Amino acid sequence: MVEKLSNLLDQLRQKESGRRLFLVGAAVLCWLPGSALAEGDLDAGGLTFRDFAVSDNGASFNRGDPMIAGGPNQVSSRVLAIDTTNGLARIRFDAIRVEVALPLGWQATEDWERGVGYSSDRRYRLIVWRVDFPFEGVKDAEHYAATKSGSIRARRPTVQAQARKLIDGTFLIVFENVQPSQGDSGQRVVFDLVTPNPRNPKEGVLMTLGVPASDAGRGLKLMAVLKSNIRIDW
């Protein structure tokens, strides 16, 4: 049985691609327990991209995806480098000016406002956005994290959501028992990482990772690996 993330979401019906907030006042930031949080930051627990990768020498990033072919504005993302030794590919999301590393065996696409990465079976899904905090109705990253947690709980009283400020000034929000989307086999856990612009507190980047609920602990460690490898052009 995977490690349990206690005191998190009990029930949530929010798609992982939904970025726009439904604001119902702010909530107090809570401390998130869990062994993947160490010294006020995310801890990969010794895992690396190799633990999530498929040894295909990066071939997956050159394959077309019939599920998105012909979709509006979606294109394959630019591959900057394939690192077979470390089990990763460096991907550039040009529209949002963000570079991420993804495990080999994944695929990546983007449109005019977001970058998307996903495992071959689509059980692990990553979305990266630019966030304009005033547009979202909040003043900064902390207000965004607190308000998003509070608004979800207010809309669904059975929901529990928790947010935590990490040591580098980013914010982690965790939602547990997210209802499955089409094609999912069961409940999911969603991790939001909000990174504020160090030069402009009104802007930030949101990285959302959704994983099966049974992989909650492993997914949190993957978020730590992703966080340590993201590069943002502010």
Side-chain angles (χ1 to χ4, degrees), residues 125-202:
R125 300 193 289 270
L126 177 75
I127 303 176
V128 186
W129 311 80
R130 287 273 174 168
V131 183
D132 181 325
F133 296 123
F135 177 77
E136 301 292 349
V138 296
K139 62 182 181 179
D140 56 22
E142 183 170 3
H143 192 196
Y144 179 92
T147 303
K148 186 169 186 178
S149 301
S151 66
I152 296 298
R153 289 207 304 258
R155 289 161 56 206
R156 292 180 173 81
T158 58
V159 161
Q160 295 179 18
Q162 291 199 4
R164 179 175 184 171
K165 186 176 183 179
L166 304 181
I167 195 169
D168 62 354
T170 59
F171 294 85
L172 177 70
I173 316 171
V174 181
F175 305 103
E176 194 180 39
N177 294 336
V178 177
Q179 294 297 315
S181 298
Q182 185 176 1
D184 293 329
S185 60
Q187 300 283 338
R188 295 177 65 78
V189 171
V190 175
F191 305 100
D192 275 359
L193 183 72
V194 186
T195 303
N197 184 336
R199 297 192 294 271
N200 183 354
K202 295 182 179 181

Side-chain angles (χ1 to χ4, degrees), residues 13-227:
R13 198 158 213 16
Q14 173 180 298
K15 290 184 180 179
E16 292 159 27
S17 60
R19 175 178 59 96
R20 182 65 177 164
L21 297 181
F22 296 84
L23 302 180
V24 191
V28 176
L29 286 178
C30 302
W31 292 105
L32 172 70
S35 61
L37 288 168
E39 299 299 328
D41 201 1
L42 287 174
D43 182 1
L47 297 188
T48 69
F49 282 109
R50 290 192 300 272
D51 295 289
F52 302 92
V54 175
S55 298
D56 67 351
N57 295 316
S60 63
F61 292 97
N62 295 317
R63 289 199 301 266
D65 188 338
M67 294 187 66
I68 66 166
N73 303 315
Q74 288 189 321
V75 297
S76 295
S77 297
R78 184 155 56 99
V79 179
L80 300 180
I82 299 294
D83 184 345
T84 55
T85 300
N86 292 305
L88 63 89
R90 295 215 63 88
I91 305 297
R92 170 77 178 184
F93 295 132
D94 286 319
I96 57 173
R97 306 187 311 282
V98 174
E99 181 182 324
V100 300
L102 297 177
L104 295 183
W106 282 41
Q107 289 183 269
T109 64
E110 62 182 291
D111 57 25
W112 64 274
E113 68 169 352
R114 64 180 184 172
V116 178
Y118 48 91
S119 60
S120 60
D121 57 9
R122 292 179 177 77
R123 295 173 69 246
Y124 283 48
R125 300 193 289 270
L126 177 75
I127 303 176
V128 186
W129 311 80
R130 287 273 174 168
V131 183
D132 181 325
F133 296 123
F135 177 77
E136 301 292 349
V138 296
K139 62 182 181 179
D140 56 22
E142 183 170 3
H143 192 196
Y144 179 92
T147 303
K148 186 169 186 178
S149 301
S151 66
I152 296 298
R153 289 207 304 258
R155 289 161 56 206
R156 292 180 173 81
T158 58
V159 161
Q160 295 179 18
Q162 291 199 4
R164 179 175 184 171
K165 186 176 183 179
L166 304 181
I167 195 169
D168 62 354
T170 59
F171 294 85
L172 177 70
I173 316 171
V174 181
F175 305 103
E176 194 180 39
N177 294 336
V178 177
Q179 294 297 315
S181 298
Q182 185 176 1
D184 293 329
S185 60
Q187 300 283 338
R188 295 177 65 78
V189 171
V190 175
F191 305 100
D192 275 359
L193 183 72
V194 186
T195 303
N197 184 336
R199 297 192 294 271
N200 183 354
K202 295 182 179 181
E203 298 177 353
V205 165
L206 170 64
M207 182 164 61
T208 297
L209 176 67
V211 305
S214 59
D215 286 1
R218 184 175 173 84
L220 187 56
K221 291 179 174 65
L222 175 58
M223 178 60 95
V225 176
L226 294 167
K227 176 180 181 289

